[in-house]
Structure formats: C-alpha cells, structure tokens
C-alpha cells in the first residue's frame, strides 16, 4: 500500500464524511520496522465522538427496518472488494503493524471468512411464539437490534478484529462507532470504513473516530447512545470498560488477554507437538492473545522435546516483514520491545536458564526460550506479548492440570497425546473458554463460540453468539378476547 493511500485515509469518518479531527495534537502512524512515518492524524475530540454516536443513532432506525436480504448485499460486496484489494491490504498490514507476509495472509483469510458469516447472520434473527397460562393470550418474542454498538479494536490483528465485531453488528441491524488502536488507525479503522463505504453501506451507519483517552477520557464508553461496547485488548483496560459499562447499565463484550499453555503428554507425537508449539508461541512475534506462553512437557519426554523445540526455534528468521522468508517481524513499538526484553531479564535474574536468548535491534526482538523459571514466578501467570517461550516440565497429568490452571487467565490452550479421548478428558479439566486436542493454541472460526473465562473476558463472539452480543429480545403479548382484572 503506497504512502499516499495512508495519507488519504488519515482522517475521521463521521456521518458518511471524511474529515480531519479538531483535537489539539496528532497521532503519528509509524512503520514499526523502519520507523517510516506513514501518516499524521489529528485526533477526534469528545465532541466528535458525540457527533459520531448521534449520526449512528439517526441512521440506525432505517437500517434496522431495511429488508435483511438487502442488508446482506453490502457484506457480499465488501467480501468481493477485499478479494480485489487483497494485495493492497496485505501491504498495509505489513507496513502499519509489522506483520509478516504469512501473518497478513492469515489475517485476510479470516477476515473474509467472517464477512461470509456476516452475510448469513443478516438472516439469522428469528422470533418465537411462547405458550401462556392465560387463556387467549399470544406471547410473541422478537429478536431486535440493540441500536448502536461501540467497538474498540486492538493493534495485533486490527483489520480482522475490527471486522469481527463491526460486520455482525451491522448485519444484525445496528449502527457502529469504531475506535481503532492508536498504533493501527488505518488498518484497524479507516481502511474498514473505506471498505464498507465502497460496498454501499449508507452513511452514518459506520463511523470511525481515531483518538486517544488522553483527549476524550471515557467519553467513548460513557456516551448515552451505545447500548453495547465490544472491546478487545488487555484485561487491565477491559476491567475498566466493564466497570464503566456496569455503572451505566450497558452490555460489555470483552475479549481480553491470555496465558495459554500447550501441554505435551508422554504419548504425544513429539515432532508434531514441536511444530504446533513453535507456531503457537511465535506467530506474529507472539503478539496474539491465544499464544502459548507456556509449553508444559511431561518429564519423561522433556529432554527430547526440548532439543527439537530449540533446534526449530533457531531456524526462525527475524527481520524485514516484507521478506517472504521472515517469520519474526518487529513488535508494535519500542515500549513493547522494552517490555519483552524486560521479561527475559527478569526471568534470568530469578534463576531461569536461557536455552535461546534472542538479541534486540530497535523493535526487532529475536526469539528466546527459557527453562528453569521458578515455580512461584509471576512470569508464569501473566501474559507475555512477545517471542518468549517458557518450557516447564511436569510429572503426570494431575500436575499438568494444576499448572495449566494456575493463572488468572482462561482463554485458550492445547494438549498433545496419542489418545484423542485422553486429550478430551484433559481438556475438560481446564478452566478456559477454548481448548484444542492435538493442535495449536491459536484458532478462530466464524461459527464457533470464541471467548474466555476468568480474566480473559466476558461473553462470546462468532456464529449464533453474535445474536446474544448484538441483539436483544422483546416480548409483545396479544390478548385475543378480553382479560379479567381483579378490580
């Protein structure tokens, strides 16, 4: 994607119009690999957030009344546009967030799958007739849009994770205001708005505000118009979003962090488990909520597994994400690079052993593999958003279950075993929203409920669960004949 394209999209999109923000400062959009300035965007103020929500509220009623067969045509067109612009969008992902070519292809594939599901979701709401104990009464239960949805998307998969909430909410008859992450304002925000504008979505139904809480505070989540806030990001921010929403009687859908474990039992196919573990830890530099922070290995096979795991990690090429051979590109910014380097230094200070210790050049952080991390280390219980793997041996399944669950998070995980039913029995004991047998920890599918337990979130996305997230039920009763009243 050319630099001029970034410049063209470096605006707010409110009520069907592209316009600059009126804030007092600019967000500078940098390429995290070479620090090239991609765009400068004057931020939106709280007043512009209000304008976006008011525009959404005005447009939503007519959209909800639009025949769902007509609504779904927008998503069919958007899907065709992604296919036509795939190369351009891929370049934008590589430039703005440092995604490798493999990662960009992965994100675009999933984005198209979720748009295909949005086409079907437009026709999904169904009403019900429920029996009544009152003679002559007919109870109708309608499934109706919530109205306006506020979406806050993250920096790691910004195109996918914006579309993942925006498209279903729109398909179900809602309007949306989207706030992308400050590090990915184009791919996570303006690019999505341009896609739907070109697909024929009426103005006002999707608004994008590029801003920062330093400017608007809690205005985005406190505003009286949105009935649902869909947030993807850290558990610390998610806790604040949930608190504000609860105070204001709003619904929150929270997809938060994780500290997933990939478990290798004594009967696992070790070569396959190594492949799954390396992908699960190092995909997109480890900046994935479902990434396998911890690799738990039965002590009886730990030595062989470790040798193979370390050998494969050493083959991963770190460098320019534009190079098709690159597996590890830059992390999103220098603060993230500092944090990842700090994790390695802290682990070593606590007594861990570095089997692989990656170096750092600016935002490029090479993979590290650590073992002998003390069992009481906080590092084993927190999310590490970078290319650092902890190898942890265990003795038997009972200890493995305890170790996997010994974290405040509960998003994803995986177990490798030669016996599928043994794997399923193991998975049932883990306090997570998702768990995979003989596979990696990083998965997302359009019709399977996606979400976590404990500090990893509230609610689910994908498939039918979108109805619970972005619609509500309304009971309308009809009394055929006359009711009797006691006075």
């Amino acid at each position: 994607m050319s630099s001029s394209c970034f410049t063209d999209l470096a605006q707010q999109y409110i009520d069907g119009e592209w316009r600059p923000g009126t804030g007092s400062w600019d967000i500078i959009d940098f390429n995290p690999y070479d620090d090239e300035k991609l765009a400068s965007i004057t931020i939106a103020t709280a007043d512009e957030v209000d304008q976006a929500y008011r525009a959404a509220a005005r447009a939503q009623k007519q959209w909800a009344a639009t025949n769902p067969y007509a609504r779904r045509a927008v998503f069919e067109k958007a899907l065709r546009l992604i296919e036509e612009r795939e190369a351009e969008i891929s370049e934008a992902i590589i430039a703005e967030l440092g995604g490798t070519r493999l990662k960009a292809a992965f994100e675009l594939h999933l984005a198209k799958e979720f748009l295909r599901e949005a086409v079907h979701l437009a026709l999904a709401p169904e009403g019900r007739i429920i029996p009544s104990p009152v003679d002559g009464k007919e109870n109708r239960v309608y499934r109706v849009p919530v109205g306006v949805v506020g979406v806050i998307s993250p920096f790691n998969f910004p195109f996918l994770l914006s579309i993942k909430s925006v498209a279903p909410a729109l398909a179900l008859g809602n309007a949306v205001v989207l706030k992308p992450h400050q590090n990915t304002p184009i791919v996570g925000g303006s690019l999505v708005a341009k896609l739907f504008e070109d697909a024929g979505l009426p103005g006002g139904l999707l608004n994008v505000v590029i801003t920062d809480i330093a400017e608007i505070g809690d205005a985005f989540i406190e505003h009286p118009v949105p009935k649902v806030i869909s947030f993807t990001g850290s558990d610390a921010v998610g806790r604040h979003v949930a608190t504000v929403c609860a105070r204001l009687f709003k619904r929150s859908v929270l997809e938060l962090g994780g500290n997933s474990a990939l478990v290798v039992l004594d009967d696992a196919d070790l070569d396959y488990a190594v492949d799954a573990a390396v992908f699960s830890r190092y995909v997109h530099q480890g900046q994935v909520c479902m990434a396998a922070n911890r690799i738990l290995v039965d002590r009886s096979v730990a030595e062989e597994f470790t040798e193979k795991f370390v050998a494969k990690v050493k083959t991963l090429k770190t460098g320019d994400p534009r190079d098709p051979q690159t597996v590890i590109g830059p992390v999103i910014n220098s603060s993230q690079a500092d944090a990842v380097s700090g994790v390695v230094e802290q682990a070593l200070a606590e007594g861990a052993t570095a089997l692989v210790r990656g170096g750092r050049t600016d935002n490029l952080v090479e993979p590290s593999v650590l073992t002998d991390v003390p069992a009481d280390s906080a590092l084993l219980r927190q999310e590490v958003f970078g290319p650092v793997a902890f190898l942890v041996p265990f003795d038997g399944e009972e200890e493995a279950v305890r170790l996997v669950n010994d974290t405040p998070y509960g998003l994803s995980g995986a177990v490798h075993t030669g016996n599928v039913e043994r794997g399923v029995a193991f998975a049932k004991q883990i306090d997570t929203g998702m768990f995979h047998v003989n596979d990696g920890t990083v998965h997302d599918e359009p019709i399977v409920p996606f979400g976590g337990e404990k500090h990893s979130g509230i609610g689910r996305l994908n498939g039918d669960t979108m109805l619970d997230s972005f619609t509500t039920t309304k009971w309308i009763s009809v009394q055929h004949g006359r009711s009797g009243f006691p006075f």
Side-chain angles (χ1 to χ4, degrees), residues 1 30 73 94-95 118-119 156 179 205 217 228 244 259 272 275 310 326 341 363 370 415 420 429 450 462 465:
M1 188 171 181
F30 288 106
I94 293 166
V119 171
N156 58 341
K179 178 191 169 304
L205 287 172
V228 175
V244 173
N259 182 22
Y272 177 58
D275 289 346
V310 167
T326 296
S341 299
N363 294 336
L370 305 176
V415 61
V420 167
Q429 300 175 73
F450 182 102
N462 303 359
T465 65

Side-chain angles (χ1 to χ4, degrees), residues 178-246:
L178 169 63
K179 178 191 169 304
H181 194 278
Q182 299 92 304
N183 286 123
T184 50
I186 303 299
V187 174
S190 305
L191 200 57
V192 177
K194 179 63 174 170
L195 176 74
F196 280 103
E197 180 184 51
D198 291 350
L201 185 72
L205 287 172
L206 174 59
N207 305 268
V208 173
V209 288
I210 298 168
T211 188
D212 188 286
I213 59 170
E215 172 70 25
I216 66 167
D218 283 337
F220 190 88
I221 51 179
E222 285 185 335
H223 196 282
V225 163
K227 300 298 185 290
V228 175
I229 301 293
S230 178
F231 170 82
T232 304
S234 72
D235 60 305
V237 178
R239 184 179 293 110
H240 178 70
V241 172
T243 300
V244 173
C245 286

